[in-house]
Amino acid sequence: MDEKTRLVDENGIRLDGRKPDELREIEMKVGVLKQADGSAYVKWGKNIALASVYGPRECHPQWQRDSRKAVLRCTYNMAPFSVDDRKRPGPDRRSYEISKVTTEALESVVLVENYPNTAIDVFIEILQADAGTRCVGLTAASIALADAGIPMKDIVAACASGKADGEIILDLFKDEDNKGEADLPIAIVPRTGEIALMQLDGDLTREEFEKAFDMAVAGGLKVNEIQKETLLKEYKKE
Ligand code: ADP
């Protein structure tokens, strides 16, 4: 993409043909891994994530045990082959940060008090990345937890919005994320309207923030519809 290419044209159409408030195409599946207690596959635009859940199971190391609740541990990992320039394998600052915010978002819905002294492990593997992977991973992890039969107050759904070429847009893909002015990933608890995650990279005025926030919430609600359809499709079949 050359420097002069506009991310949003004069008709409000984006480089990939989407309107400002349009999501990328999303495909979800649960129960995709035999060895896990729960699992999910999410293809979201060019992002591909696999989430697996193990537990509640005995908590090791023992010092992490909590006699009042289960310890929820989420690990986000981006595969070396998930991006154009090979990513250095293993954890880095970014993956620690995403693992932490994902854990905190899911802790707000999982009924951890039901399983004292145990651990619930969630592994999120990003196999293909094209921006928005923390939202894709969190969305996948939520339905993998449901697939594992772990009781939750609700299914958390995530979606980002942001700003490119001065326009507020939904669900940024790589070029928009790289060259745009702001990225606002959020996660919602649809039943209560609570916000389980919110981060902001870049600058937005208060007015822009409010528009972007409403757009991301609306996007999250659409994502949540797909999550529910996916779970119902799996569990309603004979
Ligand atoms: P998110 O994926 O949640 O949007 P970031 O904003 O940190 O998180 O990353 C945006 C995108 O940049 C990622 O989806 C990925 O496509 C790319 N990216 C992130 N880290 C790396 C890396 N170490 N090497 C190459 N590309 C990366």
Side-chain angles (χ1 to χ4, degrees), residues 26-63:
I26 304 178
E27 214 183 297
M28 301 184 192
K29 241 177 137 177
V30 286
V32 291
L33 299 174
K34 205 165 130 250
Q35 309 294 352
D37 294 315
S39 58
Y41 161 92
V42 175
K43 182 164 191 286
W44 181 328
K46 288 183 185 153
N47 291 308
I48 298 180
L50 261 182
S52 55
V53 173
Y54 300 85
R57 61 184 178 183
E58 207 169 307
C59 182
H60 294 292
Q62 281 207 12
W63 61 262

PDB file of all heavy atoms in Angstrom, residues 26-63:
ATOM      1  N   ILE A  26     -17.147 -13.622  10.019  1.00  0.00           N
ATOM      2  CA  ILE A  26     -16.759 -14.413  11.203  1.00  0.00           C
ATOM      3  C   ILE A  26     -17.338 -15.828  11.127  1.00  0.00           C
ATOM      4  O   ILE A  26     -18.512 -16.008  10.801  1.00  0.00           O
ATOM      5  CB  ILE A  26     -17.248 -13.733  12.503  1.00  0.00           C
ATOM      6  CG1 ILE A  26     -16.709 -12.304  12.598  1.00  0.00           C
ATOM      7  CG2 ILE A  26     -16.835 -14.536  13.734  1.00  0.00           C
ATOM      8  CD1 ILE A  26     -17.167 -11.531  13.827  1.00  0.00           C
ATOM      9  N   GLU A  27     -16.474 -16.784  11.432  1.00  0.00           N
ATOM     10  CA  GLU A  27     -16.881 -18.184  11.431  1.00  0.00           C
ATOM     11  C   GLU A  27     -16.429 -18.784  12.763  1.00  0.00           C
ATOM     12  O   GLU A  27     -15.294 -18.534  13.174  1.00  0.00           O
ATOM     13  CB  GLU A  27     -16.069 -18.832  10.310  1.00  0.00           C
ATOM     14  CG  GLU A  27     -16.708 -19.935   9.550  1.00  0.00           C
ATOM     15  CD  GLU A  27     -15.662 -20.452   8.547  1.00  0.00           C
ATOM     16  OE1 GLU A  27     -15.240 -19.696   7.651  1.00  0.00           O
ATOM     17  OE2 GLU A  27     -15.250 -21.614   8.741  1.00  0.00           O
ATOM     18  N   MET A  28     -17.317 -19.527  13.440  1.00  0.00           N
ATOM     19  CA  MET A  28     -16.918 -20.116  14.727  1.00  0.00           C
ATOM     20  C   MET A  28     -17.330 -21.581  14.794  1.00  0.00           C
ATOM     21  O   MET A  28     -18.317 -21.976  14.189  1.00  0.00           O
ATOM     22  CB  MET A  28     -17.623 -19.403  15.891  1.00  0.00           C
ATOM     23  CG  MET A  28     -17.357 -17.945  16.005  1.00  0.00           C
ATOM     24  SD  MET A  28     -18.159 -17.255  17.482  1.00  0.00           S
ATOM     25  CE  MET A  28     -17.974 -15.511  17.145  1.00  0.00           C
ATOM     26  N   LYS A  29     -16.568 -22.339  15.571  1.00  0.00           N
ATOM     27  CA  LYS A  29     -16.875 -23.749  15.792  1.00  0.00           C
ATOM     28  C   LYS A  29     -16.433 -24.096  17.204  1.00  0.00           C
ATOM     29  O   LYS A  29     -15.403 -23.590  17.656  1.00  0.00           O
ATOM     30  CB  LYS A  29     -16.053 -24.601  14.818  1.00  0.00           C
ATOM     31  CG  LYS A  29     -16.896 -25.426  13.867  1.00  0.00           C
ATOM     32  CD  LYS A  29     -16.012 -26.141  12.920  1.00  0.00           C
ATOM     33  CE  LYS A  29     -16.564 -27.551  12.789  1.00  0.00           C
ATOM     34  NZ  LYS A  29     -15.818 -28.329  11.825  1.00  0.00           N
ATOM     35  N   VAL A  30     -17.181 -24.947  17.891  1.00  0.00           N
ATOM     36  CA  VAL A  30     -16.715 -25.409  19.204  1.00  0.00           C
ATOM     37  C   VAL A  30     -16.500 -26.924  19.165  1.00  0.00           C
ATOM     38  O   VAL A  30     -16.958 -27.598  18.248  1.00  0.00           O
ATOM     39  CB  VAL A  30     -17.707 -25.055  20.352  1.00  0.00           C
ATOM     40  CG1 VAL A  30     -17.650 -23.574  20.693  1.00  0.00           C
ATOM     41  CG2 VAL A  30     -19.109 -25.509  20.049  1.00  0.00           C
ATOM     42  N   GLY A  31     -15.771 -27.426  20.171  1.00  0.00           N
ATOM     43  CA  GLY A  31     -15.527 -28.871  20.263  1.00  0.00           C
ATOM     44  C   GLY A  31     -14.598 -29.369  19.167  1.00  0.00           C
ATOM     45  O   GLY A  31     -14.798 -30.444  18.605  1.00  0.00           O
ATOM     46  N   VAL A  32     -13.569 -28.592  18.860  1.00  0.00           N
ATOM     47  CA  VAL A  32     -12.703 -28.951  17.741  1.00  0.00           C
ATOM     48  C   VAL A  32     -11.480 -29.773  18.168  1.00  0.00           C
ATOM     49  O   VAL A  32     -10.811 -30.353  17.325  1.00  0.00           O
ATOM     50  CB  VAL A  32     -12.237 -27.684  16.975  1.00  0.00           C
ATOM     51  CG1 VAL A  32     -13.392 -27.039  16.250  1.00  0.00           C
ATOM     52  CG2 VAL A  32     -11.571 -26.677  17.910  1.00  0.00           C
ATOM     53  N   LEU A  33     -11.180 -29.805  19.469  1.00  0.00           N
ATOM     54  CA  LEU A  33      -9.997 -30.535  19.938  1.00  0.00           C
ATOM     55  C   LEU A  33     -10.418 -31.659  20.874  1.00  0.00           C
ATOM     56  O   LEU A  33     -11.109 -31.416  21.871  1.00  0.00           O
ATOM     57  CB  LEU A  33      -9.031 -29.590  20.676  1.00  0.00           C
ATOM     58  CG  LEU A  33      -8.451 -28.431  19.863  1.00  0.00           C
ATOM     59  CD1 LEU A  33      -7.642 -27.506  20.770  1.00  0.00           C
ATOM     60  CD2 LEU A  33      -7.582 -28.945  18.728  1.00  0.00           C
ATOM     61  N   LYS A  34      -9.978 -32.875  20.545  1.00  0.00           N
ATOM     62  CA  LYS A  34     -10.417 -34.052  21.284  1.00  0.00           C
ATOM     63  C   LYS A  34      -9.887 -34.087  22.720  1.00  0.00           C
ATOM     64  O   LYS A  34     -10.595 -34.491  23.644  1.00  0.00           O
ATOM     65  CB  LYS A  34      -9.933 -35.281  20.509  1.00  0.00           C
ATOM     66  CG  LYS A  34     -10.744 -36.510  20.745  1.00  0.00           C
ATOM     67  CD  LYS A  34     -10.424 -37.549  19.685  1.00  0.00           C
ATOM     68  CE  LYS A  34     -10.121 -38.854  20.359  1.00  0.00           C
ATOM     69  NZ  LYS A  34      -8.754 -39.301  20.307  1.00  0.00           N
ATOM     70  N   GLN A  35      -8.636 -33.671  22.914  1.00  0.00           N
ATOM     71  CA  GLN A  35      -8.007 -33.825  24.238  1.00  0.00           C
ATOM     72  C   GLN A  35      -8.407 -32.744  25.245  1.00  0.00           C
ATOM     73  O   GLN A  35      -8.181 -32.903  26.433  1.00  0.00           O
ATOM     74  CB  GLN A  35      -6.473 -33.795  24.109  1.00  0.00           C
ATOM     75  CG  GLN A  35      -5.909 -34.729  23.069  1.00  0.00           C
ATOM     76  CD  GLN A  35      -6.119 -36.194  23.413  1.00  0.00           C
ATOM     77  OE1 GLN A  35      -6.560 -36.514  24.514  1.00  0.00           O
ATOM     78  NE2 GLN A  35      -5.827 -37.078  22.481  1.00  0.00           N
ATOM     79  N   ALA A  36      -8.960 -31.641  24.743  1.00  0.00           N
ATOM     80  CA  ALA A  36      -9.286 -30.541  25.657  1.00  0.00           C
ATOM     81  C   ALA A  36     -10.671 -30.757  26.260  1.00  0.00           C
ATOM     82  O   ALA A  36     -11.517 -31.440  25.690  1.00  0.00           O
ATOM     83  CB  ALA A  36      -9.243 -29.225  24.892  1.00  0.00           C
ATOM     84  N   ASP A  37     -10.905 -30.148  27.418  1.00  0.00           N
ATOM     85  CA  ASP A  37     -12.255 -30.222  28.022  1.00  0.00           C
ATOM     86  C   ASP A  37     -13.232 -29.340  27.256  1.00  0.00           C
ATOM     87  O   ASP A  37     -14.426 -29.578  27.238  1.00  0.00           O
ATOM     88  CB  ASP A  37     -12.176 -29.795  29.497  1.00  0.00           C
ATOM     89  CG  ASP A  37     -11.351 -30.788  30.299  1.00  0.00           C
ATOM     90  OD1 ASP A  37     -11.566 -32.000  30.109  1.00  0.00           O
ATOM     91  OD2 ASP A  37     -10.472 -30.361  31.070  1.00  0.00           O
ATOM     92  N   GLY A  38     -12.701 -28.294  26.651  1.00  0.00           N
ATOM     93  CA  GLY A  38     -13.521 -27.420  25.815  1.00  0.00           C
ATOM     94  C   GLY A  38     -12.616 -26.751  24.808  1.00  0.00           C
ATOM     95  O   GLY A  38     -11.438 -26.506  25.091  1.00  0.00           O
ATOM     96  N   SER A  39     -13.155 -26.459  23.626  1.00  0.00           N
ATOM     97  CA  SER A  39     -12.299 -25.827  22.620  1.00  0.00           C
ATOM     98  C   SER A  39     -13.132 -25.056  21.611  1.00  0.00           C
ATOM     99  O   SER A  39     -14.334 -25.265  21.486  1.00  0.00           O
ATOM    100  CB  SER A  39     -11.447 -26.886  21.902  1.00  0.00           C
ATOM    101  OG  SER A  39     -12.289 -27.849  21.305  1.00  0.00           O
ATOM    102  N   ALA A  40     -12.466 -24.160  20.915  1.00  0.00           N
ATOM    103  CA  ALA A  40     -13.150 -23.376  19.897  1.00  0.00           C
ATOM    104  C   ALA A  40     -12.178 -22.932  18.817  1.00  0.00           C
ATOM    105  O   ALA A  40     -10.982 -22.726  19.068  1.00  0.00           O
ATOM    106  CB  ALA A  40     -13.802 -22.141  20.527  1.00  0.00           C
ATOM    107  N   TYR A  41     -12.724 -22.808  17.622  1.00  0.00           N
ATOM    108  CA  TYR A  41     -11.991 -22.296  16.461  1.00  0.00           C
ATOM    109  C   TYR A  41     -12.725 -21.051  16.009  1.00  0.00           C
ATOM    110  O   TYR A  41     -13.955 -21.073  15.880  1.00  0.00           O
ATOM    111  CB  TYR A  41     -12.016 -23.371  15.370  1.00  0.00           C
ATOM    112  CG  TYR A  41     -11.711 -22.891  13.968  1.00  0.00           C
ATOM    113  CD1 TYR A  41     -10.411 -22.913  13.467  1.00  0.00           C
ATOM    114  CD2 TYR A  41     -12.731 -22.443  13.122  1.00  0.00           C
ATOM    115  CE1 TYR A  41     -10.134 -22.478  12.173  1.00  0.00           C
ATOM    116  CE2 TYR A  41     -12.460 -22.016  11.825  1.00  0.00           C
ATOM    117  CZ  TYR A  41     -11.161 -22.036  11.359  1.00  0.00           C
ATOM    118  OH  TYR A  41     -10.893 -21.617  10.088  1.00  0.00           O
ATOM    119  N   VAL A  42     -12.009 -19.963  15.812  1.00  0.00           N
ATOM    120  CA  VAL A  42     -12.656 -18.751  15.298  1.00  0.00           C
ATOM    121  C   VAL A  42     -11.836 -18.208  14.130  1.00  0.00           C
ATOM    122  O   VAL A  42     -10.632 -17.973  14.255  1.00  0.00           O
ATOM    123  CB  VAL A  42     -12.814 -17.659  16.391  1.00  0.00           C
ATOM    124  CG1 VAL A  42     -13.366 -16.368  15.791  1.00  0.00           C
ATOM    125  CG2 VAL A  42     -13.747 -18.144  17.506  1.00  0.00           C
ATOM    126  N   LYS A  43     -12.517 -18.059  12.987  1.00  0.00           N
ATOM    127  CA  LYS A  43     -11.898 -17.397  11.826  1.00  0.00           C
ATOM    128  C   LYS A  43     -12.609 -16.069  11.694  1.00  0.00           C
ATOM    129  O   LYS A  43     -13.842 -16.030  11.575  1.00  0.00           O
ATOM    130  CB  LYS A  43     -12.067 -18.249  10.577  1.00  0.00           C
ATOM    131  CG  LYS A  43     -11.418 -17.654   9.367  1.00  0.00           C
ATOM    132  CD  LYS A  43     -11.270 -18.706   8.263  1.00  0.00           C
ATOM    133  CE  LYS A  43     -10.382 -18.205   7.128  1.00  0.00           C
ATOM    134  NZ  LYS A  43     -11.033 -17.214   6.289  1.00  0.00           N
ATOM    135  N   TRP A  44     -11.862 -15.013  11.787  1.00  0.00           N
ATOM    136  CA  TRP A  44     -12.460 -13.673  11.825  1.00  0.00           C
ATOM    137  C   TRP A  44     -11.654 -12.837  10.837  1.00  0.00           C
ATOM    138  O   TRP A  44     -10.508 -12.471  11.127  1.00  0.00           O
ATOM    139  CB  TRP A  44     -12.350 -13.149  13.259  1.00  0.00           C
ATOM    140  CG  TRP A  44     -12.925 -11.809  13.540  1.00  0.00           C
ATOM    141  CD1 TRP A  44     -13.010 -10.738  12.706  1.00  0.00           C
ATOM    142  CD2 TRP A  44     -13.480 -11.379  14.791  1.00  0.00           C
ATOM    143  NE1 TRP A  44     -13.582  -9.681  13.348  1.00  0.00           N
ATOM    144  CE2 TRP A  44     -13.877 -10.042  14.633  1.00  0.00           C
ATOM    145  CE3 TRP A  44     -13.666 -11.983  16.042  1.00  0.00           C
ATOM    146  CZ2 TRP A  44     -14.448  -9.289  15.651  1.00  0.00           C
ATOM    147  CZ3 TRP A  44     -14.225 -11.238  17.060  1.00  0.00           C
ATOM    148  CH2 TRP A  44     -14.627  -9.914  16.871  1.00  0.00           C
ATOM    149  N   GLY A  45     -12.226 -12.575   9.650  1.00  0.00           N
ATOM    150  CA  GLY A  45     -11.439 -11.966   8.586  1.00  0.00           C
ATOM    151  C   GLY A  45     -10.275 -12.896   8.298  1.00  0.00           C
ATOM    152  O   GLY A  45     -10.474 -14.102   8.114  1.00  0.00           O
ATOM    153  N   LYS A  46      -9.050 -12.345   8.306  1.00  0.00           N
ATOM    154  CA  LYS A  46      -7.877 -13.202   8.058  1.00  0.00           C
ATOM    155  C   LYS A  46      -7.250 -13.697   9.362  1.00  0.00           C
ATOM    156  O   LYS A  46      -6.180 -14.295   9.349  1.00  0.00           O
ATOM    157  CB  LYS A  46      -6.849 -12.429   7.239  1.00  0.00           C
ATOM    158  CG  LYS A  46      -7.310 -12.252   5.798  1.00  0.00           C
ATOM    159  CD  LYS A  46      -6.245 -11.537   4.985  1.00  0.00           C
ATOM    160  CE  LYS A  46      -6.781 -11.251   3.591  1.00  0.00           C
ATOM    161  NZ  LYS A  46      -6.145 -10.080   2.996  1.00  0.00           N
ATOM    162  N   ASN A  47      -7.889 -13.416  10.500  1.00  0.00           N
ATOM    163  CA  ASN A  47      -7.385 -13.948  11.775  1.00  0.00           C
ATOM    164  C   ASN A  47      -7.892 -15.375  11.976  1.00  0.00           C
ATOM    165  O   ASN A  47      -9.054 -15.656  11.659  1.00  0.00           O
ATOM    166  CB  ASN A  47      -7.921 -13.125  12.953  1.00  0.00           C
ATOM    167  CG  ASN A  47      -7.351 -11.722  13.002  1.00  0.00           C
ATOM    168  OD1 ASN A  47      -6.141 -11.540  12.966  1.00  0.00           O
ATOM    169  ND2 ASN A  47      -8.221 -10.736  13.090  1.00  0.00           N
ATOM    170  N   ILE A  48      -7.052 -16.213  12.510  1.00  0.00           N
ATOM    171  CA  ILE A  48      -7.502 -17.561  12.897  1.00  0.00           C
ATOM    172  C   ILE A  48      -6.998 -17.837  14.317  1.00  0.00           C
ATOM    173  O   ILE A  48      -5.803 -17.714  14.596  1.00  0.00           O
ATOM    174  CB  ILE A  48      -6.992 -18.658  11.941  1.00  0.00           C
ATOM    175  CG1 ILE A  48      -7.539 -18.427  10.514  1.00  0.00           C
ATOM    176  CG2 ILE A  48      -7.409 -20.051  12.440  1.00  0.00           C
ATOM    177  CD1 ILE A  48      -7.092 -19.453   9.489  1.00  0.00           C
ATOM    178  N   ALA A  49      -7.925 -18.189  15.213  1.00  0.00           N
ATOM    179  CA  ALA A  49      -7.551 -18.500  16.600  1.00  0.00           C
ATOM    180  C   ALA A  49      -8.132 -19.837  17.019  1.00  0.00           C
ATOM    181  O   ALA A  49      -9.226 -20.225  16.584  1.00  0.00           O
ATOM    182  CB  ALA A  49      -8.078 -17.407  17.531  1.00  0.00           C
ATOM    183  N   LEU A  50      -7.371 -20.535  17.846  1.00  0.00           N
ATOM    184  CA  LEU A  50      -7.840 -21.779  18.458  1.00  0.00           C
ATOM    185  C   LEU A  50      -7.749 -21.569  19.966  1.00  0.00           C
ATOM    186  O   LEU A  50      -6.728 -21.109  20.464  1.00  0.00           O
ATOM    187  CB  LEU A  50      -6.897 -22.923  18.114  1.00  0.00           C
ATOM    188  CG  LEU A  50      -7.237 -23.880  17.004  1.00  0.00           C
ATOM    189  CD1 LEU A  50      -6.155 -24.941  16.914  1.00  0.00           C
ATOM    190  CD2 LEU A  50      -8.596 -24.534  17.168  1.00  0.00           C
ATOM    191  N   ALA A  51      -8.816 -21.885  20.671  1.00  0.00           N
ATOM    192  CA  ALA A  51      -8.773 -21.772  22.135  1.00  0.00           C
ATOM    193  C   ALA A  51      -9.062 -23.136  22.727  1.00  0.00           C
ATOM    194  O   ALA A  51      -9.951 -23.848  22.245  1.00  0.00           O
ATOM    195  CB  ALA A  51      -9.799 -20.752  22.619  1.00  0.00           C
ATOM    196  N   SER A  52      -8.306 -23.500  23.770  1.00  0.00           N
ATOM    197  CA  SER A  52      -8.580 -24.772  24.441  1.00  0.00           C
ATOM    198  C   SER A  52      -8.638 -24.538  25.947  1.00  0.00           C
ATOM    199  O   SER A  52      -7.934 -23.683  26.481  1.00  0.00           O
ATOM    200  CB  SER A  52      -7.515 -25.816  24.095  1.00  0.00           C
ATOM    201  OG  SER A  52      -6.245 -25.317  24.401  1.00  0.00           O
ATOM    202  N   VAL A  53      -9.509 -25.302  26.591  1.00  0.00           N
ATOM    203  CA  VAL A  53      -9.720 -25.159  28.034  1.00  0.00           C
ATOM    204  C   VAL A  53      -9.473 -26.502  28.710  1.00  0.00           C
ATOM    205  O   VAL A  53      -9.937 -27.543  28.216  1.00  0.00           O
ATOM    206  CB  VAL A  53     -11.175 -24.694  28.316  1.00  0.00           C
ATOM    207  CG1 VAL A  53     -11.474 -24.705  29.802  1.00  0.00           C
ATOM    208  CG2 VAL A  53     -11.414 -23.294  27.748  1.00  0.00           C
ATOM    209  N   TYR A  54      -8.716 -26.469  29.802  1.00  0.00           N
ATOM    210  CA  TYR A  54      -8.447 -27.674  30.593  1.00  0.00           C
ATOM    211  C   TYR A  54      -8.843 -27.384  32.031  1.00  0.00           C
ATOM    212  O   TYR A  54      -8.404 -26.401  32.615  1.00  0.00           O
ATOM    213  CB  TYR A  54      -6.961 -28.042  30.514  1.00  0.00           C
ATOM    214  CG  TYR A  54      -6.515 -28.316  29.102  1.00  0.00           C
ATOM    215  CD1 TYR A  54      -6.120 -27.260  28.280  1.00  0.00           C
ATOM    216  CD2 TYR A  54      -6.530 -29.597  28.570  1.00  0.00           C
ATOM    217  CE1 TYR A  54      -5.739 -27.489  26.970  1.00  0.00           C
ATOM    218  CE2 TYR A  54      -6.145 -29.843  27.256  1.00  0.00           C
ATOM    219  CZ  TYR A  54      -5.750 -28.775  26.464  1.00  0.00           C
ATOM    220  OH  TYR A  54      -5.379 -28.998  25.164  1.00  0.00           O
ATOM    221  N   GLY A  55      -9.683 -28.202  32.584  1.00  0.00           N
ATOM    222  CA  GLY A  55     -10.073 -28.008  33.980  1.00  0.00           C
ATOM    223  C   GLY A  55     -11.557 -27.827  34.129  1.00  0.00           C
ATOM    224  O   GLY A  55     -12.289 -27.989  33.151  1.00  0.00           O
ATOM    225  N   PRO A  56     -11.988 -27.517  35.361  1.00  0.00           N
ATOM    226  CA  PRO A  56     -11.187 -27.328  36.559  1.00  0.00           C
ATOM    227  C   PRO A  56     -10.399 -28.605  36.912  1.00  0.00           C
ATOM    228  O   PRO A  56     -10.947 -29.707  36.847  1.00  0.00           O
ATOM    229  CB  PRO A  56     -12.231 -27.048  37.651  1.00  0.00           C
ATOM    230  CG  PRO A  56     -13.524 -26.814  36.957  1.00  0.00           C
ATOM    231  CD  PRO A  56     -13.434 -27.430  35.615  1.00  0.00           C
ATOM    232  N   ARG A  57      -9.110 -28.422  37.218  1.00  0.00           N
ATOM    233  CA  ARG A  57      -8.248 -29.551  37.551  1.00  0.00           C
ATOM    234  C   ARG A  57      -7.334 -29.144  38.703  1.00  0.00           C
ATOM    235  O   ARG A  57      -7.264 -27.967  39.064  1.00  0.00           O
ATOM    236  CB  ARG A  57      -7.434 -29.980  36.334  1.00  0.00           C
ATOM    237  CG  ARG A  57      -6.515 -28.897  35.797  1.00  0.00           C
ATOM    238  CD  ARG A  57      -5.818 -29.380  34.539  1.00  0.00           C
ATOM    239  NE  ARG A  57      -4.967 -28.367  33.950  1.00  0.00           N
ATOM    240  CZ  ARG A  57      -4.291 -28.531  32.813  1.00  0.00           C
ATOM    241  NH1 ARG A  57      -4.380 -29.652  32.131  1.00  0.00           N
ATOM    242  NH2 ARG A  57      -3.514 -27.580  32.341  1.00  0.00           N
ATOM    243  N   GLU A  58      -6.617 -30.139  39.233  1.00  0.00           N
ATOM    244  CA  GLU A  58      -5.746 -29.868  40.377  1.00  0.00           C
ATOM    245  C   GLU A  58      -4.801 -28.717  40.044  1.00  0.00           C
ATOM    246  O   GLU A  58      -4.267 -28.669  38.928  1.00  0.00           O
ATOM    247  CB  GLU A  58      -4.945 -31.130  40.689  1.00  0.00           C
ATOM    248  CG  GLU A  58      -4.558 -31.193  42.143  1.00  0.00           C
ATOM    249  CD  GLU A  58      -3.995 -32.567  42.478  1.00  0.00           C
ATOM    250  OE1 GLU A  58      -4.672 -33.570  42.177  1.00  0.00           O
ATOM    251  OE2 GLU A  58      -2.885 -32.598  43.011  1.00  0.00           O
ATOM    252  N   CYS A  59      -4.608 -27.821  40.988  1.00  0.00           N
ATOM    253  CA  CYS A  59      -3.793 -26.636  40.710  1.00  0.00           C
ATOM    254  C   CYS A  59      -2.323 -26.865  41.052  1.00  0.00           C
ATOM    255  O   CYS A  59      -1.981 -27.115  42.199  1.00  0.00           O
ATOM    256  CB  CYS A  59      -4.343 -25.442  41.495  1.00  0.00           C
ATOM    257  SG  CYS A  59      -3.450 -23.936  41.179  1.00  0.00           S
ATOM    258  N   HIS A  60      -1.488 -26.800  40.027  1.00  0.00           N
ATOM    259  CA  HIS A  60      -0.030 -26.838  40.217  1.00  0.00           C
ATOM    260  C   HIS A  60       0.560 -25.586  39.630  1.00  0.00           C
ATOM    261  O   HIS A  60       0.106 -25.162  38.567  1.00  0.00           O
ATOM    262  CB  HIS A  60       0.568 -28.071  39.543  1.00  0.00           C
ATOM    263  CG  HIS A  60       0.133 -29.350  40.192  1.00  0.00           C
ATOM    264  ND1 HIS A  60       0.520 -29.717  41.457  1.00  0.00           N
ATOM    265  CD2 HIS A  60      -0.705 -30.309  39.746  1.00  0.00           C
ATOM    266  CE1 HIS A  60      -0.047 -30.885  41.752  1.00  0.00           C
ATOM    267  NE2 HIS A  60      -0.804 -31.255  40.737  1.00  0.00           N
ATOM    268  N   PRO A  61       1.537 -24.958  40.199  1.00  0.00           N
ATOM    269  CA  PRO A  61       2.148 -25.264  41.489  1.00  0.00           C
ATOM    270  C   PRO A  61       1.193 -24.961  42.645  1.00  0.00           C
ATOM    271  O   PRO A  61       0.309 -24.122  42.518  1.00  0.00           O
ATOM    272  CB  PRO A  61       3.350 -24.317  41.525  1.00  0.00           C
ATOM    273  CG  PRO A  61       2.979 -23.181  40.631  1.00  0.00           C
ATOM    274  CD  PRO A  61       2.106 -23.758  39.566  1.00  0.00           C
ATOM    275  N   GLN A  62       1.419 -25.690  43.744  1.00  0.00           N
ATOM    276  CA  GLN A  62       0.508 -25.621  44.890  1.00  0.00           C
ATOM    277  C   GLN A  62       0.343 -24.222  45.466  1.00  0.00           C
ATOM    278  O   GLN A  62      -0.721 -23.871  45.932  1.00  0.00           O
ATOM    279  CB  GLN A  62       1.027 -26.544  45.986  1.00  0.00           C
ATOM    280  CG  GLN A  62       0.680 -27.985  45.709  1.00  0.00           C
ATOM    281  CD  GLN A  62       0.576 -28.795  46.980  1.00  0.00           C
ATOM    282  OE1 GLN A  62       0.558 -28.225  48.069  1.00  0.00           O
ATOM    283  NE2 GLN A  62       0.502 -30.104  46.845  1.00  0.00           N
ATOM    284  N   TRP A  63       1.414 -23.415  45.411  1.00  0.00           N
ATOM    285  CA  TRP A  63       1.330 -22.077  46.028  1.00  0.00           C
ATOM    286  C   TRP A  63       0.313 -21.193  45.320  1.00  0.00           C
ATOM    287  O   TRP A  63      -0.138 -20.204  45.869  1.00  0.00           O
ATOM    288  CB  TRP A  63       2.696 -21.409  46.116  1.00  0.00           C
ATOM    289  CG  TRP A  63       3.371 -21.164  44.791  1.00  0.00           C
ATOM    290  CD1 TRP A  63       4.321 -21.944  44.208  1.00  0.00           C
ATOM    291  CD2 TRP A  63       3.145 -20.076  43.894  1.00  0.00           C
ATOM    292  NE1 TRP A  63       4.695 -21.426  43.003  1.00  0.00           N
ATOM    293  CE2 TRP A  63       3.991 -20.270  42.782  1.00  0.00           C
ATOM    294  CE3 TRP A  63       2.320 -18.955  43.895  1.00  0.00           C
ATOM    295  CZ2 TRP A  63       4.037 -19.402  41.697  1.00  0.00           C
ATOM    296  CZ3 TRP A  63       2.364 -18.080  42.811  1.00  0.00           C
ATOM    297  CH2 TRP A  63       3.197 -18.308  41.729  1.00  0.00           C
TER     298      TRP A  63
END
